[in-house]
Amino acid sequence: MLVKKMKPIALAVLTASMAAGLLSGCAEDKKNNAESGEPGAAKKPVELTWGIQFQANAVVEDSPVQKWLEQKFNVKIKPVKVTDASIASGEVPDLFMLGDPSNVSAYQSQGVLMNIDPNMVKEQMPEYYKDVENSNELFQTVTFDDKLWAIPMFIDLKPYDFTLLWRKDWLDKVGIAKIPQTLDELEKAIYAFAKNDPDGNGKNDTYGLTGTATSTWGTGFYSIFGAYGIEPTMWQEQNGQLVNGSIRPEAKDALAKLQQWYADGIIDPEFITDTQDSYQKKLYNGRIGVIEEQIGKAALEDGATLVGMKAVNPDAKLELGKNPEGPGGDGTWDWGIKSNFIVIGSKVKDDPEKLSKIFEILRAESNDEETINMTSLGVKGTQWDFADSGATSGPTKFLPEFEKQEQRDAVGVRLFSLGNIMTREYRDKYSNPKLNEAIRAYSSAPNWSDALLFAALPSDGKYKQNLTALTQKYFAQMISGEIPLTDWDKYVAEWKAKGGDELTQEANELYQKQFKK
């Protein structure tokens, strides 16, 4: 159990701290109700089944955060883990969160979700709606049969956007003073990494870069494809029509460049099986000199990748660089403004009291600082504090005994957080200006994203996964030289015949109906 991983003293301190707040708040509420003669003083709590944060590993029953929420909103919560199997068995929470429009589409098709009146979102969550209403395409991603099936979250500045992270000490070693900014400059640097012994060990054991063909949503080498103006698997507008980046001729041009690099020994031959985790380790261990990395992991000194490098190689120097500019511009894979989605179980539509309570909680999770902090950070001074001593705004930090995610999960922090549903006002108060500056400098958003914001197409379930795998297979074989680039037309024909043409038609129909501005 996660609770056992915490030191008893730390758990006791947090529990006592939260309990004190609960008791004082309870007493004050009862006093106020008694003095005002309000009849709701002993109103029966609303029972609510809550699907915990899908990123959490396990359910923690009766955590301090759960008890705090129950007291604040007069509810009785049953936390549950949401899986495809649990949904299929009929165990549908009243309130839960999904990560992608395709998830919303899949559950909606099973009849387990309640459709949501957009006017209710506007009326019950006015502060949040004001922030999100200008991004109407977010609502369109989860509108099926002309009905809204989820409340979209949004994110403006994304720390998980990709850019390039360089071994600056290697650049210095091979005589390159400036961080490369163009595709030609990048090419010069990665050839030097592979050929000029940047680690100084006298061995031919380094490569310029690697990629990954293991992603469920893309092909790797995102910034290289971006330099040619496309992103494989992404729907992009061309002359008023949507075309999938997987089959655009620019992708063939990018593959020709990557094939040349591979043949010259510049790309790590293990790129086919590499993952983001494995190529981070290769950067740490001096096998490659540049990776595509999330900005938030490398922009500040406490970024996870910078910390990881110091632990393995404290003398190494890492520095962010922009995605290289090539014949098609510059950019990389970007998820756009969309974040996750809040959905409501279908049975709630027959329970007005429960629906009202859910929207009361949703409004608080989006706009009430106390509720947002408790569910996402915990108790100030016990579990978290502002990063700068004495500050009342700005970046935050987790305190000792709560620095690991499982420690926070053990007391309920994150389990009941609804992520990016908070208002911009809250985000601005708690954001890190230095990180925001880095994101603005290195992110290729908002120009690089899927034209449909990754909305689910009717036939995605039949074709999308297989088409992604087909693209990954052909691209990996072309890069490695296992098959020639002259097989490009064969690949395109196969992609179209195996569902690509049908998806292209559906993508354009949806685009014209709901997304084209």
Side-chain angles (χ1 to χ4, degrees), residues 271-316:
F271 81 91
I272 295 174
T273 56
D274 270 336
T275 64
Q276 289 181 21
D277 288 340
S278 69
Y279 67 57
Q280 282 175 349
K281 292 181 174 65
K282 289 183 175 183
L283 184 76
Y284 300 158
N285 294 318
R287 184 177 171 100
I288 56 175
V290 60
I291 64 172
E292 295 178 305
E293 184 56 288
Q294 295 178 26
I295 298 169
K297 291 185 176 181
L300 307 177
E301 289 186 3
D302 61 352
T305 306
L306 299 190
V307 172
M309 174 59 89
K310 288 180 181 178
V312 176
N313 189 346
D315 295 327

Side-chain angles (χ1 to χ4, degrees), residues 10 43 51 75 118 123 173 212 222 229 235 276 314 363 373 375 384 416 444-445 474 480 514:
K43 193 172 183 179
V75 293
E123 294 167 3
K173 183 71 181 293
T212 174
Y222 306 112
W235 294 107
Q276 289 181 21
R363 183 176 185 181
N373 285 352
T375 55
W384 71 278
F416 300 94
S444 52
Y474 267 100
S480 67
Q514 295 180 197

Side-chain angles (χ1 to χ4, degrees), residues 191-209:
Y191 269 77
F193 288 166
K195 305 296 186 182
N196 297 350
D197 192 25
D199 59 356
N201 68 356
K203 299 179 181 179
N204 184 24
D205 59 356
T206 56
Y207 297 92
L209 76 165

Side-chain angles (χ1 to χ4, degrees), residues 270-452:
E270 296 176 356
F271 81 91
I272 295 174
T273 56
D274 270 336
T275 64
Q276 289 181 21
D277 288 340
S278 69
Y279 67 57
Q280 282 175 349
K281 292 181 174 65
K282 289 183 175 183
L283 184 76
Y284 300 158
N285 294 318
R287 184 177 171 100
I288 56 175
V290 60
I291 64 172
E292 295 178 305
E293 184 56 288
Q294 295 178 26
I295 298 169
K297 291 185 176 181
L300 307 177
E301 289 186 3
D302 61 352
T305 306
L306 299 190
V307 172
M309 174 59 89
K310 288 180 181 178
V312 176
N313 189 346
D315 295 327
K317 295 180 181 179
L318 298 179
E319 189 169 328
L320 288 175
K322 292 186 177 182
N323 294 298
E325 184 176 358
D330 62 274
T332 188
W333 184 278
D334 180 64
W335 289 103
I337 193 174
K338 88 167 186 69
S339 183
N340 301 315
F341 298 87
I342 294 169
V343 292
I344 301 173
S346 57
K347 294 181 181 179
V348 176
K349 66 182 178 182
D350 298 322
D351 191 335
E353 183 183 22
K354 182 177 290 187
L355 182 60
S356 176
K357 183 61 68 175
I358 285 174
F359 270 98
E360 180 186 349
I361 293 171
L362 291 177
R363 183 176 185 181
E365 290 246 17
S366 71
N367 191 54
D368 178 57
E369 189 171 357
E370 179 186 45
T371 302
I372 300 170
N373 285 352
M374 182 60 75
T375 55
S376 61
L377 297 171
V379 177
K380 185 176 182 294
T382 299
Q383 187 173 11
W384 71 278
D385 210 332
F386 288 103
D388 297 328
S389 179
T392 57
S393 63
T396 61
K397 64 180 180 182
F398 288 108
L399 300 177
E401 306 295 343
F402 297 101
E403 293 167 314
K404 296 180 179 180
Q405 187 62 67
E406 67 255 27
Q407 294 171 321
R408 301 194 289 275
D409 283 353
V411 293
V413 171
R414 182 179 73 158
L415 301 189
F416 300 94
S417 169
L418 295 177
N420 291 307
I421 198 174
M422 71 280 287
T423 59
R424 285 194 175 96
E425 181 179 2
Y426 175 90
R427 299 179 199 210
D428 290 344
K429 179 174 180 178
Y430 285 83
S431 67
N432 187 327
K434 292 182 179 178
L435 178 58
N436 291 347
E437 182 181 350
I439 295 170
R440 292 188 180 99
Y442 295 108
S443 170
S444 52
N447 299 322
W448 281 82
S449 189
D450 186 88
L452 301 176

Side-chain angles (χ1 to χ4, degrees), residues 102-308:
S102 62
N103 305 129
V104 179
S105 176
Y107 286 177
Q108 182 268 337
S109 67
Q110 296 176 43
V112 301
L113 301 183
M114 171 187 148
N115 67 284
I116 301 168
D117 183 353
N119 289 323
M120 179 175 287
V121 181
K122 183 177 182 178
E123 294 167 3
Q124 300 295 324
M125 303 172 65
E127 300 87 1
Y128 179 74
Y129 192 85
K130 181 181 178 181
D131 281 348
V132 77
E133 65 178 333
N134 291 330
S135 301
N136 184 59
E137 62 269 25
L138 287 173
F139 290 90
Q140 300 302 330
T141 63
V142 284
T143 296
F144 319 123
D145 301 326
D146 296 321
K147 294 180 180 179
L148 180 68
W149 296 93
I151 300 174
M153 304 182 195
F154 72 94
I155 182 165
D156 298 316
L157 295 172
K158 302 181 294 300
Y160 49 80
D161 276 350
F162 286 128
T163 194
L164 296 185
L165 180 61
W166 292 87
R167 280 290 300 265
K168 180 63 169 65
D169 52 324
W170 278 21
L171 288 172
D172 294 340
K173 183 71 181 293
V174 300
I176 297 176
K178 187 185 76 169
I179 297 291
Q181 293 187 332
T182 68
L183 193 61
D184 289 342
E185 290 171 351
L186 178 143
E187 183 175 67
K188 179 181 178 181
I190 60 177
Y191 269 77
F193 288 166
K195 305 296 186 182
N196 297 350
D197 192 25
D199 59 356
N201 68 356
K203 299 179 181 179
N204 184 24
D205 59 356
T206 56
Y207 297 92
L209 76 165
T210 188
T212 174
T214 62
S215 166
T216 59
W217 42 269
T219 60
F221 299 109
Y222 306 112
S223 66
I224 308 304
F225 284 106
Y228 286 85
I230 61 98
E231 283 299 329
T233 77
M234 192 181 285
W235 294 107
Q236 296 174 302
E237 183 180 11
Q238 188 177 39
N239 300 322
Q241 295 291 309
L242 294 194
V243 181
N244 197 282
S246 299
I247 60 168
R248 284 179 57 178
E250 295 90 341
K252 182 182 178 182
D253 296 336
L255 289 171
K257 176 63 73 176
L258 292 166
Q259 187 185 76
Q260 174 197 334
W261 291 350
Y262 185 91
D264 291 343
I266 309 306
I267 293 177
D268 190 326
E270 296 176 356
F271 81 91
I272 295 174
T273 56
D274 270 336
T275 64
Q276 289 181 21
D277 288 340
S278 69
Y279 67 57
Q280 282 175 349
K281 292 181 174 65
K282 289 183 175 183
L283 184 76
Y284 300 158
N285 294 318
R287 184 177 171 100
I288 56 175
V290 60
I291 64 172
E292 295 178 305
E293 184 56 288
Q294 295 178 26
I295 298 169
K297 291 185 176 181
L300 307 177
E301 289 186 3
D302 61 352
T305 306
L306 299 190
V307 172

